[in-house]
Short mmCIF file of all heavy atoms in Angstrom, two decimals:
data_model
loop_
_atom_site.label_atom_id
_atom_site.label_comp_id
_atom_site.label_asym_id
_atom_site.label_seq_id
_atom_site.Cartn_x
_atom_site.Cartn_y
_atom_site.Cartn_z
N ASP T 219 120.25 116.83 111.00
CA ASP T 219 119.40 117.24 112.12
C ASP T 219 118.56 118.41 111.63
O ASP T 219 118.94 119.58 111.74
CB ASP T 219 120.28 117.66 113.31
CG ASP T 219 119.46 118.04 114.54
OD1 ASP T 219 118.23 118.20 114.41
OD2 ASP T 219 120.06 118.18 115.62
N TYR T 220 117.42 118.08 111.05
CA TYR T 220 116.61 119.09 110.36
C TYR T 220 116.10 120.19 111.29
O TYR T 220 116.00 121.35 110.89
CB TYR T 220 115.45 118.40 109.63
CG TYR T 220 115.90 117.49 108.52
CD1 TYR T 220 116.04 116.12 108.73
CD2 TYR T 220 116.20 117.99 107.26
CE1 TYR T 220 116.46 115.27 107.72
CE2 TYR T 220 116.63 117.15 106.23
CZ TYR T 220 116.76 115.79 106.47
OH TYR T 220 117.19 114.97 105.47
N LYS T 221 115.79 119.83 112.52
CA LYS T 221 115.30 120.83 113.47
C LYS T 221 116.39 121.85 113.76
O LYS T 221 116.13 123.07 113.77
CB LYS T 221 114.86 120.15 114.76
CG LYS T 221 114.25 121.11 115.78
CD LYS T 221 113.75 120.37 117.01
CE LYS T 221 113.14 121.32 118.03
NZ LYS T 221 112.64 120.60 119.24
N ALA T 222 117.62 121.38 113.98
CA ALA T 222 118.73 122.30 114.24
C ALA T 222 119.05 123.14 113.01
O ALA T 222 119.40 124.32 113.11
CB ALA T 222 119.95 121.51 114.68
N ILE T 223 118.93 122.54 111.83
CA ILE T 223 119.19 123.27 110.59
C ILE T 223 118.19 124.40 110.42
O ILE T 223 118.55 125.53 110.07
CB ILE T 223 119.17 122.31 109.39
CG1 ILE T 223 120.44 121.43 109.41
CG2 ILE T 223 119.08 123.07 108.07
CD1 ILE T 223 120.42 120.31 108.39
N ALA T 224 116.91 124.13 110.69
CA ALA T 224 115.90 125.18 110.60
C ALA T 224 116.16 126.28 111.62
O ALA T 224 115.86 127.45 111.39
CB ALA T 224 114.50 124.59 110.80
N GLY T 225 116.76 125.89 112.75
CA GLY T 225 117.07 126.87 113.78
C GLY T 225 118.06 127.93 113.34
O GLY T 225 118.11 129.02 113.91
N VAL T 226 118.87 127.62 112.31
CA VAL T 226 119.82 128.60 111.78
C VAL T 226 119.07 129.84 111.28
O VAL T 226 119.59 130.96 111.32
CB VAL T 226 120.65 127.97 110.64
CG1 VAL T 226 121.50 129.03 109.94
CG2 VAL T 226 121.54 126.86 111.19
N ALA T 227 117.84 129.64 110.81
CA ALA T 227 117.07 130.74 110.21
C ALA T 227 116.28 131.53 111.24
O ALA T 227 115.71 132.57 110.89
CB ALA T 227 116.12 130.17 109.15
N GLY T 228 116.19 131.05 112.48
CA GLY T 228 115.49 131.79 113.51
C GLY T 228 114.01 131.48 113.59
O GLY T 228 113.48 130.66 112.83
N PRO T 229 113.29 132.12 114.54
CA PRO T 229 111.87 131.86 114.75
C PRO T 229 111.05 132.07 113.49
O PRO T 229 111.26 133.03 112.76
CB PRO T 229 111.49 132.88 115.83
CG PRO T 229 112.77 133.22 116.51
CD PRO T 229 113.83 133.13 115.45
N GLY T 230 110.12 131.16 113.25
CA GLY T 230 109.26 131.26 112.06
C GLY T 230 109.70 130.36 110.93
O GLY T 230 108.90 130.05 110.04
N ALA T 231 110.95 129.92 110.94
CA ALA T 231 111.45 129.01 109.90
C ALA T 231 110.98 127.59 110.21
O ALA T 231 110.72 127.24 111.37
CB ALA T 231 112.97 129.06 109.84
N ILE T 232 110.86 126.77 109.18
CA ILE T 232 110.43 125.38 109.36
C ILE T 232 111.30 124.46 108.51
O ILE T 232 111.93 124.89 107.54
CB ILE T 232 108.95 125.18 108.96
CG1 ILE T 232 108.74 125.51 107.47
CG2 ILE T 232 108.01 125.99 109.84
CD1 ILE T 232 107.37 125.10 106.93
N GLN T 233 111.33 123.19 108.89
CA GLN T 233 111.91 122.18 108.01
C GLN T 233 111.06 122.10 106.75
O GLN T 233 109.83 122.14 106.81
CB GLN T 233 111.94 120.81 108.68
CG GLN T 233 112.46 119.70 107.76
CD GLN T 233 112.41 118.32 108.38
OE1 GLN T 233 112.13 118.18 109.58
NE2 GLN T 233 112.66 117.29 107.59
N ALA T 234 111.70 122.01 105.61
CA ALA T 234 110.98 121.82 104.36
C ALA T 234 110.74 120.33 104.17
O ALA T 234 111.68 119.59 103.89
CB ALA T 234 111.78 122.37 103.19
N PRO T 235 109.50 119.86 104.32
CA PRO T 235 109.25 118.42 104.18
C PRO T 235 109.35 117.92 102.74
O PRO T 235 109.50 116.74 102.50
CB PRO T 235 107.83 118.26 104.72
CG PRO T 235 107.20 119.60 104.57
CD PRO T 235 108.31 120.60 104.72
N GLY T 236 109.25 118.84 101.81
CA GLY T 236 109.39 118.52 100.39
C GLY T 236 109.93 119.75 99.69
O GLY T 236 110.22 120.77 100.31
N ILE T 237 110.04 119.68 98.39
CA ILE T 237 110.63 120.79 97.65
C ILE T 237 109.61 121.90 97.38
O ILE T 237 109.97 123.02 97.04
CB ILE T 237 111.24 120.26 96.32
CG1 ILE T 237 112.36 121.21 95.85
CG2 ILE T 237 110.19 120.03 95.25
CD1 ILE T 237 113.55 121.26 96.77
N ILE T 238 108.31 121.61 97.52
CA ILE T 238 107.26 122.61 97.31
C ILE T 238 106.99 123.34 98.63
O ILE T 238 106.76 122.70 99.66
CB ILE T 238 105.97 121.95 96.79
CG1 ILE T 238 106.22 121.32 95.41
CG2 ILE T 238 104.84 122.97 96.68
CD1 ILE T 238 105.04 120.53 94.86
N PRO T 239 106.99 124.68 98.65
CA PRO T 239 106.78 125.44 99.88
C PRO T 239 105.44 125.14 100.54
O PRO T 239 104.46 124.80 99.87
CB PRO T 239 106.86 126.89 99.43
CG PRO T 239 107.60 126.86 98.15
CD PRO T 239 107.26 125.57 97.50
N SER T 240 105.39 125.31 101.84
CA SER T 240 104.24 124.90 102.66
C SER T 240 102.95 125.60 102.30
O SER T 240 101.86 125.06 102.54
CB SER T 240 104.55 125.16 104.13
OG SER T 240 104.87 126.54 104.35
N MET T 241 103.02 126.81 101.72
CA MET T 241 101.79 127.56 101.42
C MET T 241 101.24 127.29 100.02
O MET T 241 100.20 127.82 99.64
CB MET T 241 102.02 129.06 101.61
CG MET T 241 103.00 129.69 100.63
SD MET T 241 104.73 129.25 100.95
CE MET T 241 105.01 130.06 102.53
N PHE T 242 101.91 126.44 99.24
CA PHE T 242 101.47 126.16 97.88
C PHE T 242 100.62 124.88 97.82
O PHE T 242 100.78 123.99 98.67
CB PHE T 242 102.67 125.98 96.95
CG PHE T 242 103.43 127.24 96.63
CD1 PHE T 242 103.10 128.45 97.24
CD2 PHE T 242 104.47 127.23 95.72
CE1 PHE T 242 103.81 129.61 96.94
CE2 PHE T 242 105.18 128.38 95.43
CZ PHE T 242 104.86 129.57 96.04
N LEU T 243 99.78 124.82 96.83
CA LEU T 243 99.01 123.61 96.59
C LEU T 243 99.98 122.44 96.39
O LEU T 243 100.97 122.55 95.68
CB LEU T 243 98.16 123.79 95.33
CG LEU T 243 97.24 122.60 94.96
CD1 LEU T 243 96.04 122.56 95.89
CD2 LEU T 243 96.78 122.73 93.51
N GLY T 244 99.69 121.30 97.03
CA GLY T 244 100.50 120.11 96.85
C GLY T 244 101.67 119.99 97.81
O GLY T 244 102.45 119.04 97.72
N ALA T 245 101.81 120.95 98.74
CA ALA T 245 102.89 120.87 99.72
C ALA T 245 102.67 119.68 100.65
O ALA T 245 101.53 119.33 100.98
CB ALA T 245 102.96 122.15 100.53
N LEU T 246 103.75 119.07 101.09
CA LEU T 246 103.67 117.97 102.05
C LEU T 246 103.45 118.51 103.46
O LEU T 246 103.98 119.57 103.82
CB LEU T 246 104.95 117.15 102.04
CG LEU T 246 105.19 116.23 100.84
CD1 LEU T 246 106.59 115.62 100.92
CD2 LEU T 246 104.14 115.13 100.77
N PRO T 247 102.69 117.81 104.28
CA PRO T 247 102.56 118.22 105.69
C PRO T 247 103.85 117.93 106.45
O PRO T 247 104.68 117.14 106.00
CB PRO T 247 101.40 117.34 106.20
CG PRO T 247 101.47 116.12 105.34
CD PRO T 247 101.90 116.59 103.98
N GLN T 248 104.01 118.58 107.59
CA GLN T 248 105.20 118.36 108.40
C GLN T 248 105.35 116.90 108.82
O GLN T 248 106.46 116.40 109.01
CB GLN T 248 105.17 119.27 109.63
CG GLN T 248 105.51 120.72 109.34
CD GLN T 248 106.96 120.93 108.95
OE1 GLN T 248 107.88 120.50 109.66
NE2 GLN T 248 107.19 121.59 107.82
N SER T 249 104.23 116.21 108.93
CA SER T 249 104.27 114.80 109.34
C SER T 249 104.98 113.92 108.31
O SER T 249 105.40 112.80 108.62
CB SER T 249 102.86 114.27 109.58
OG SER T 249 102.07 114.40 108.40
N SER T 250 105.10 114.40 107.08
CA SER T 250 105.76 113.63 106.02
C SER T 250 107.25 113.94 105.90
O SER T 250 107.94 113.36 105.06
CB SER T 250 105.09 113.91 104.67
OG SER T 250 103.75 113.45 104.66
N ALA T 251 107.74 114.85 106.73
CA ALA T 251 109.14 115.26 106.63
C ALA T 251 110.07 114.12 107.03
O ALA T 251 109.75 113.29 107.90
CB ALA T 251 109.39 116.47 107.53
N VAL T 252 111.23 114.08 106.40
CA VAL T 252 112.26 113.09 106.74
C VAL T 252 112.79 113.38 108.15
O VAL T 252 113.00 114.53 108.52
CB VAL T 252 113.42 113.14 105.73
CG1 VAL T 252 114.54 112.18 106.14
CG2 VAL T 252 112.92 112.81 104.33
N LYS T 253 112.98 112.34 108.95
CA LYS T 253 113.47 112.49 110.31
C LYS T 253 114.92 112.00 110.40
O LYS T 253 115.31 111.05 109.73
CB LYS T 253 112.61 111.70 111.29
CG LYS T 253 111.12 112.02 111.24
CD LYS T 253 110.83 113.44 111.66
CE LYS T 253 109.33 113.68 111.86
NZ LYS T 253 108.53 113.50 110.64
N GLN T 254 115.70 112.66 111.24
CA GLN T 254 117.08 112.23 111.46
C GLN T 254 117.12 110.83 112.08
O GLN T 254 116.35 110.52 112.99
CB GLN T 254 117.82 113.21 112.37
CG GLN T 254 119.29 112.87 112.56
CD GLN T 254 119.98 113.78 113.55
OE1 GLN T 254 119.36 114.20 114.54
NE2 GLN T 254 121.24 114.11 113.29
N ASP T 255 117.98 109.98 111.55
CA ASP T 255 118.18 108.63 112.08
C ASP T 255 119.66 108.30 111.92
O ASP T 255 120.10 107.81 110.88
CB ASP T 255 117.30 107.63 111.34
CG ASP T 255 117.28 106.25 111.98
OD1 ASP T 255 118.33 105.85 112.54
OD2 ASP T 255 116.24 105.57 111.92
N LEU T 256 120.44 108.57 112.96
CA LEU T 256 121.89 108.40 112.86
C LEU T 256 122.31 106.96 112.63
O LEU T 256 123.31 106.69 111.95
CB LEU T 256 122.56 108.95 114.12
CG LEU T 256 122.69 110.48 114.18
CD1 LEU T 256 123.28 110.91 115.51
CD2 LEU T 256 123.54 110.99 113.03
N ALA T 257 121.53 106.01 113.17
CA ALA T 257 121.87 104.59 112.95
C ALA T 257 121.78 104.25 111.47
O ALA T 257 122.68 103.60 110.91
CB ALA T 257 120.93 103.71 113.77
N LYS T 258 120.70 104.70 110.81
CA LYS T 258 120.55 104.45 109.37
C LYS T 258 121.65 105.18 108.59
O LYS T 258 122.20 104.64 107.62
CB LYS T 258 119.18 104.94 108.89
CG LYS T 258 118.01 104.04 109.27
CD LYS T 258 116.73 104.57 108.65
CE LYS T 258 115.53 103.69 108.99
NZ LYS T 258 114.26 104.22 108.41
N ALA T 259 121.96 106.39 109.02
CA ALA T 259 122.97 107.18 108.32
C ALA T 259 124.33 106.50 108.38
O ALA T 259 125.03 106.34 107.36
CB ALA T 259 123.04 108.58 108.90
#
């Protein structure tokens, strides 16, 4: 549950959609982030 996991860090934290940080060249947009799917899991 990526949203809940980011919540551990408090306001201002985000899900990391990829391994490259959001402010760097080549970062993935939030729309590309993996979404929780319990049925698949």
Side-chain angles (χ1 to χ4, degrees):
D219 183 348
Y220 295 96
K221 183 176 181 180
I223 287 171
V226 172
I232 61 170
Q233 177 184 351
I237 205 65
I238 297 175
S240 57
M241 66 287 293
F242 288 5
L243 182 75
L246 286 173
Q248 284 291 308
S249 59
S250 295
V252 176
K253 305 295 191 297
Q254 184 184 35
D255 189 326
L256 282 176
K258 285 184 179 179

